[in-house]
Amino acid sequence: MMRQAKPLPADIEDAMRREAVDLERLDREIYRQFDRDPLTPIVGLGPRAAKLAVFGRDPGRKEVEIGLPFVGAGGQKVRDALYRHRQGRPLPDFEASLSVGEDLFWINTVPYKPLGNKAWSMAVKRRFQPLVAALLMRQWSGDQIITLGREAFFWFGIGQTKEIRDALEAFWSRDDRFSVTHVTELTLDDGERKRFVLAPLPHPSPLNQRWFKRFPELLDRRLSTLDV
C-alpha cells in the first residue's frame, strides 16, 4: 500500500522546486523510470510533536520509487532496528516499516536523489540548508535528532560560526561519539533560533564496513537513552 508524505508548506516546496531546476547531478533518469516529477522534494516530515527526528543525507532509488524518505536499504536498517526496539522481533514486511516510523520526523540534508548516490556538494547543501532548517525549526516542536553519518552531522555546521564548527569537529573526533549527545543551535535568516540535541550514528550502509554490523545495537541504545 502506497503512503503519501505529509505536505510541505507551500512556500518551502516552491523554493525547493526552484533550487532543483538547475541541479546538475540530479538523477533525472531514475525519476523518469518511476514517472516521478524530478522537482518534487522527497521529504517525509512527521507529527509536529514527534519526540525524535531522523536526519540523513539524501534519497536513493527506492525513495524516488515510493516517494518517501528512508525506505531503501539504509532506511530499512533504521526502521528494522526501530521495530525490534518496540516489538522485540524482526520487521515483518515493508508496510510495517512505514507504520513503525509514523510517529517520528524524517528529513534529509537535500531532498533530491543525486547521480550515483554520491553526496551532494557543499554548494548544493548550502542552497537547501535554510529551507531544511526552517522545516526542523517551524514544522517540528521536538529537539532530539539522530543524525546518520558524517554528512548529516556536519550539516549542522553550515553557515555557522567557527566556534560552533570547531565544537562539532571536536565532538566527532571523540571515541564515544555514537553513545553521547551534542547540543548545538540553528539560526534562521530572520534571527529565529532553536537548540537541538544531536545523537549521531554511523551511516547504515553495507559499504560502511566498520560500523554496519553494529548499527542495530547502536541505534537500539540510542532509542533507549532518548526514551523513544
Side-chain angles (χ1 to χ4, degrees), residues 3 28 48 69 88 92 135 140 145 151 153-154 156 158 161 172 184 217-218 226:
R3 301 293 187 91
R28 289 178 171 81
R48 181 179 291 273
L135 292 175
W140 178 49
I145 303 178
E151 297 273 345
F153 180 78
F154 282 104
F156 286 85
I158 296 176
T161 64
W172 191 260
T184 194
E217 164 207 341
L218 293 171
L226 299 172

Side-chain angles (χ1 to χ4, degrees), residues 80-88 219-221 223-224 228:
D80 178 65
L82 179 61
Y83 191 89
R84 288 173 183 268
H85 178 81
R86 291 176 164 176
Q87 305 296 334
L219 178 53
D220 187 69
R221 192 180 306 158
L223 294 171
S224 296
V228 178

Side-chain angles (χ1 to χ4, degrees), residues 17 43 55 77 79 84 89 102 110 113 132 163 168 170 172 174 178-179 187 195 209 221:
R17 292 179 69 89
V43 183
F55 192 73
K77 290 286 287 186
R79 292 172 184 271
R84 288 173 183 268
R89 55 192 174 92
E102 286 180 339
V110 178
K113 182 189 181 303
V132 173
E163 180 182 11
L168 291 169
W172 191 260
R174 294 174 54 160
F178 296 142
S179 59
T187 304
R195 170 185 169 276
Q209 296 182 6
R221 192 180 306 158

Side-chain angles (χ1 to χ4, degrees), residues 1-60:
M1 183 175 71
M2 290 292 189
R3 301 293 187 91
Q4 293 297 317
K6 181 180 177 182
L8 289 175
D11 59 332
I12 291 182
E13 178 167 0
D14 289 346
M16 285 183 169
R17 292 179 69 89
R18 287 195 298 272
E19 294 293 346
V21 167
D22 61 351
L23 279 182
E24 292 184 3
R25 293 185 54 247
L26 180 61
D27 195 347
R28 289 178 171 81
E29 177 57 32
I30 293 296
Y31 286 84
R32 190 158 36 244
Q33 285 181 23
F34 294 112
D35 196 26
R36 298 287 187 181
D37 180 357
L39 301 186
T40 297
I42 300 173
V43 183
L45 300 189
R48 181 179 291 273
K51 294 181 66 176
L52 178 72
V54 179
F55 192 73
R57 200 187 74 181
D58 43 51

Side-chain angles (χ1 to χ4, degrees), residues 153-193:
F153 180 78
F154 282 104
W155 177 90
F156 286 85
I158 296 176
Q160 299 276 32
T161 64
K162 185 177 185 300
E163 180 182 11
I164 291 177
R165 296 197 307 273
D166 287 348
L168 291 169
E169 289 281 0
F171 182 87
W172 191 260
S173 70
R174 294 174 54 160
D175 291 337
D176 62 353
R177 64 186 178 276
F178 296 142
S179 59
V180 295
T181 58
H182 177 70
V183 177
T184 194
E185 190 175 66
L186 290 181
T187 304
L188 297 182
D189 291 341
D190 63 3
E192 181 181 346
R193 295 173 178 268

